[in-house]
Amino acid sequence: MRSEDLIQLAAAKGPLPEGIDRADAMTQTPVGLSDWLIIMPVILPLLMGVIGIMMRAYPRWTSRLTVAVLAGVVLASAALLSRVIAEGPIAMTMGQWLPPFGISLVVDPLGGLLTLLGSITGLIVAVYALSDVDFAARRAGFYSMLCWLIAGVNGAFLTGDIFNLYVWFEVFVIASFGLIVLGGERLQLDGAVKYCVLNLIATTLFLIAVALLYGTLGTLNMADLSGKLAAYPPDDPQMLTIGLLFFVGFGMKAAAVPLHIWLPASYHTPKPVVSALFAALLTKVGIYAVLRTYTIVMPASNESVLFEVIYVVAIATIVLGLLGALAESNLRRMLGFLLISGVGVMLLGLGVDTRLSLAATIFYTVHSVIVMAGLYLLAGLMERRTGLTSLHRLSGMYTGAPVLAVLFFVLGFAAAGLPPLSGFWPKVLLIEASLNEQQYVAVAALIVNGLFSMMVVGRAWALMFWRPVVTAGIIPQAETPHPREQAAPVPKAAALSAAPTPPKAEPTPGHNPPALLVPVVVTAAAALIIGVWPTPLLDLSDIAAGDLLDPSAYVQAVFGSAP
Amino acid sequence: MMEPALAAVVVVYFLGSIFLLTSTNLIRILLGVALLGNAANLTIFTAGRLTREVPPVIPEGAMQPLAQTANPLPQALILTAIVIAFALFAFILVLVYRSYQELGSENVDRMREAEPLEYPRPPEGY
């Protein structure tokens, strides 16, 4: 449609003068109705966030409306993904400027898949928050910030313009700043300072990389960059510098060693539901951005030394993340280190850099979003139930909470990669890909990862559920209790009654409202189903990896014709 | 040309911001972050090539600018980046002030609430 317009315009205007870009880059045709689907996952939550702020005085209705809208976003994302699978990548151009001048939204299988996951995570978290987040926090805009975070994350997954990617990064970063301090406890403020400062530095580094890239190539459109970069030899010093800057910025976002320190410092401080949202999505956006820049935007650097850098960083991340998890005695911090080791696995797939390993990375990303959301929500359930976060004190829960025991078993061992659960397949694929490339260090790191994460999860499960209830005597003398525990296990109900209207589902100690279990059960079921029946996701990951390695379909979607 | 001169200015900005970022005082770190944002904006500006102040307007009837004009795109990018950085910086200033009130220190070495120094050993058995 657009390409025909261009051809007609070009024919009408005659040949272009030497040495300038196409000046007839305007389109007069309105965007087709079916193309509006592409922007729905971004614009619906954005609008809902605004409506939520306007309706702050009615938190009960606002939260229900938000859940309904997020369900709509999930449907829109699913429709979008199915369309992309059927037709290949599709693009939509904003305003009347055709690419490379206007900002395009492009959906390829990877972007579509991750948009669907981001929307599903938002819905799960919103449903959980219905019975978990008190009305005071809802009045402070919890649901609006949740919507804006989802909009920012989806925007980052869908945009086809690298500066626009920066803008979406900042959209979800500012939303996450608001969410991480919601509640304003001392502990949260401490974690938030570290989180905010380091994330701001990371996005600024990304911006500097964008500036250098623009200065070198004179364009910001990813598809256009892809074509212009093909002229550069691998390991061109300018491109190496820019690529490394991108990796530092995104690696900091994704919590890759040695820039991971902000994650264990801050992810155990906010409300559990916020932790779950962050753990599921924010590191994955970093991974997605690395994947996108290193495949579509900088395809010429495929033989580059940068991939060796990524490889080394990935292995360090896998090993150090697990050592951190083994040395932890706080449940949520332990999960944070497990998440970091998963980030290492995802980066390793990019470091090995074959179609199979990229497919494994994409598969692992899907698995990590689902399982990490579930595990953090589960940690929140256990904290609600006992008021404890320390592995020294959480004990004897098997008798009191068999459902939680089963859920932690499923989700934990899915994270550890035990068959027949979802974490098993991507690791197997990645080991196979590494063997094909004779990358034996990677194979060893993955096997160590499997063994150690089994130890971490198994130990946590045994301590929390199997062990009989402990008295305080077992805690080492040096332990100052976690700040959350200093005020003894006060059930949160006491704190909630200070709110003007207490929520409908008041947590009584020892019992969580069943509605809270539903989102966690859904994630555990998803982990099990993906593990038992991985074929659809495997095929989808393979298609997405193929599209990453061969950007021609992507470029064609943007420009409407092959370059 | 002006580019090398501006590039040197950018270097000075980066040096200053890195020096401030390595401090243990939160206020200095914040100033470092602000300076880093400005350094990034100057980088964009310099990367867009500097020309004399000719506005990028195409005369009526022409298909392209007749003279070499200033590049409008870096300016649009910088405006966007300034607005974003300003909003985030304002938020972080308030956050640091609140944490100073709560934690009683602006020295990052003494902000150990989330990661206590006396951290317990991991469970070593039943």
Side-chain angles (χ1 to χ4, degrees):
Chain A
M1 176 193 80
R2 276 192 316 276
S3 58
E4 288 157 13
D5 280 354
L6 258 180
I7 292 161
Q8 276 175 8
L9 274 169
K13 298 257 167 60
L16 284 166
E18 286 281 312
I20 61 159
D21 273 325
R22 185 180 289 286
D24 48 10
M26 300 283 286
T27 171
Q28 301 299 333
T29 46
V31 174
L33 214 53
S34 59
D35 279 354
W36 278 97
L37 188 62
I38 301 178
I39 196 150
M40 281 302 151
V42 182
I43 211 156
L44 284 177
L46 265 182
L47 285 175
M48 185 59 228
V50 176
I51 293 167
I53 287 290
M54 292 195 279
M55 290 173 53
R56 255 192 335 199
Y58 312 98
R60 188 175 308 245
W61 288 105
T62 314
S63 39
R64 286 175 190 169
L65 186 60
T66 308
V67 170
V69 167
L70 284 173
V73 173
V74 170
L75 290 179
S77 313
L80 188 58
L81 178 62
S82 66
R83 208 183 127 187
V84 170
I85 293 169
E87 298 177 22
I90 41 178
M92 169 194 179
T93 303
M94 299 286 128
Q96 295 188 317
W97 293 100
L98 290 178
F101 304 105
I103 292 175
S104 336
L105 291 179
V106 194
V107 202
D108 63 346
L110 173 64
L113 180 63
L114 288 177
T115 306
L116 178 61
L117 275 168
S119 314
I120 290 175
T121 311
L123 181 62
I124 284 175
V125 163
V127 171
Y128 185 94
L130 279 179
S131 357
D132 182 61
V133 175
D134 54 82
F135 279 19
R138 293 193 207 180
R139 280 208 183 78
F142 171 83
Y143 272 100
S144 290
M145 287 188 277
L146 168 66
C147 281
W148 289 327
L149 189 128
I150 299 297
V153 168
N154 283 349
F157 289 149
L158 294 178
T159 184
D161 180 283
I162 199 129
F163 187 81
N164 196 236
L165 180 67
Y166 163 77
V167 174
W168 286 121
F169 258 68
E170 297 288 28
V171 168
F172 76 72
V173 162
I174 192 96
S176 72
F177 284 6
L179 284 171
I180 203 169
V181 294
L182 205 63
E185 299 169 22
R186 287 174 54 119
L187 177 74
Q188 273 179 291
L189 288 168
D190 187 7
V193 165
K194 292 157 186 176
Y195 173 84
C196 294
V197 171
L198 286 172
N199 270 281
L200 194 50
I201 292 171
T203 46
T204 311
L205 290 174
F206 168 31
L207 180 63
I208 294 161
V210 170
L212 294 175
L213 195 61
Y214 171 69
T216 314
L217 298 174
T219 180
L220 294 164
N221 182 296
M222 289 183 191
D224 199 26
L225 284 170
S226 172
K228 290 197 170 158
L229 263 167
Y232 281 78
D235 288 348
D236 174 73
Q238 270 180 309
M239 286 303 139
L240 270 187
T241 313
I242 294 168
L244 200 60
L245 255 179
F246 272 127
F247 184 53
V248 171
F250 294 146
M252 209 158 166
K253 274 259 171 264
V257 167
L259 302 171
H260 65 293
I261 322 222
W262 56 270
L263 192 145
S266 62
Y267 269 29
H268 62 297
T269 57
K271 296 177 186 296
V273 64
V274 173
S275 283
L277 188 65
F278 286 10
L281 290 182
L282 298 196
T283 50
K284 310 304 178 299
V285 185
I287 295 283
Y288 164 82
V290 175
L291 279 178
R292 178 67 78 208
T293 43
Y294 276 63
T295 52
I296 299 271
V297 179
M298 310 180 118
S301 55
N302 259 6
E303 297 83 42
S304 156
V305 69
L306 282 171
F307 283 91
E308 290 169 36
V309 174
I310 295 181
Y311 184 75
V312 172
V313 165
I315 286 172
T317 309
I318 290 175
V319 175
L320 285 173
L322 284 169
L323 291 180
L326 273 174
E328 260 316 323
S329 59
N330 172 318
L331 176 61
R332 270 211 269 165
R333 283 182 57 121
M334 187 192 87
L335 293 179
F337 279 110
L338 266 185
L339 170 66
I340 289 174
S341 130
V343 165
V345 176
M346 290 178 246
L347 284 175
L348 189 59
L350 182 64
V352 175
D353 196 38
T354 61
R355 180 169 175 151
L356 188 61
S357 74
L358 282 177
T361 291
I362 293 162
F363 195 126
Y364 197 94
T365 310
V366 175
H367 142 83
S368 179
V369 168
I370 294 168
V371 167
M372 278 299 154
L375 275 174
Y376 270 92
L377 291 179
L378 193 55
L381 283 179
M382 288 162 70
E383 197 179 321
R384 278 176 70 101
R385 169 130 199 175
T386 58
L388 302 173
T389 56
S390 166
L391 289 178
H392 289 294
R393 296 173 167 216
L394 281 163
S395 53
M397 291 177 70
Y398 190 80
T399 46
V403 179
L404 296 193
V406 172
L407 286 173
F408 192 89
F409 192 86
V410 172
L411 286 166
F413 285 113
L418 200 73
L421 297 160
S422 59
F424 171 69
W425 300 105
K427 281 187 193 172
V428 168
L429 286 183
L430 199 44
I431 287 177
E432 189 185 340
S434 312
L435 282 176
N436 292 346
E437 294 289 300
Q438 279 99 40
Q439 303 278 21
Y440 297 117
V441 184
V443 178
L446 285 166
I447 290 171
V448 166
N449 168 294
L451 176 69
F452 274 49
S453 37
M454 287 283 299
M455 279 163 62
V456 168
V457 173
R459 184 189 67 176
W461 196 86
L463 287 171
M464 291 187 299
F465 295 101
W466 254 358
R467 176 171 62 159
V469 180
V470 290
T471 51
I474 196 163
I475 302 169
Q477 286 304 306
E479 174 167 11
T480 41
H482 189 273
R484 279 189 190 277
E485 296 181 21
Q486 275 169 358
V490 182
K492 295 236 168 135
L496 289 184
S497 58
T501 36
K504 205 164 51 174
E506 278 212 6
T508 47
H511 283 288
N512 285 313
L516 276 178
L517 281 175
V518 173
V520 189
V521 170
V522 166
T523 54
L528 193 60
I529 290 168
I530 291 174
V532 173
W533 190 43
T535 319
L537 193 52
L538 275 176
D539 294 342
L540 188 53
S541 308
D542 186 51
I543 294 168
D547 273 16
L548 280 181
L549 284 177
D550 176 22
S552 59
Y554 185 95
V555 174
Q556 193 167 346
V558 175
F559 287 109
S561 59
Chain B
M1 288 303 281
M2 282 288 291
E3 278 95 353
L6 261 181
V9 174
V10 169
V11 168
V12 174
Y13 265 70
F14 274 123
L15 285 176
S17 81
I18 290 165
F19 174 73
L20 287 170
L21 284 173
T22 50
S23 160
T24 56
N25 182 315
L26 253 182
I27 304 299
R28 283 175 156 240
I29 292 177
L30 285 196
L31 291 174
V33 170
L35 211 51
L36 190 67
N38 288 336
N41 290 340
L42 268 180
T43 311
I44 300 176
F45 189 62
T46 317
R49 307 291 186 280
L50 305 164
T51 41
R52 293 304 302 274
E53 308 82 344
V54 183
V57 178
I58 301 172
E60 201 170 343
M63 282 304 295
Q64 55 176 317
L66 298 179
Q68 203 184 16
T69 60
N71 186 352
L73 184 60
Q75 301 175 25
L77 300 185
I78 292 171
L79 276 177
T80 313
I82 285 177
V83 172
I84 291 173
F86 181 77
L88 291 169
F89 190 68
F91 178 88
I92 291 195
L93 270 180
V94 175
L95 173 70
V96 166
Y97 180 62
R98 279 281 290 121
S99 67
Y100 174 70
Q101 281 181 321
E102 288 282 335
L103 306 167
S105 167
E106 83 285 15
N107 182 325
V108 284
D109 284 346
R110 288 198 217 111
M111 298 173 66
R112 307 294 308 196
E113 195 78 15
E115 296 178 290
L117 284 170
E118 294 276 305
Y119 208 72
R121 296 173 63 81
E124 286 151 2
Y126 285 22

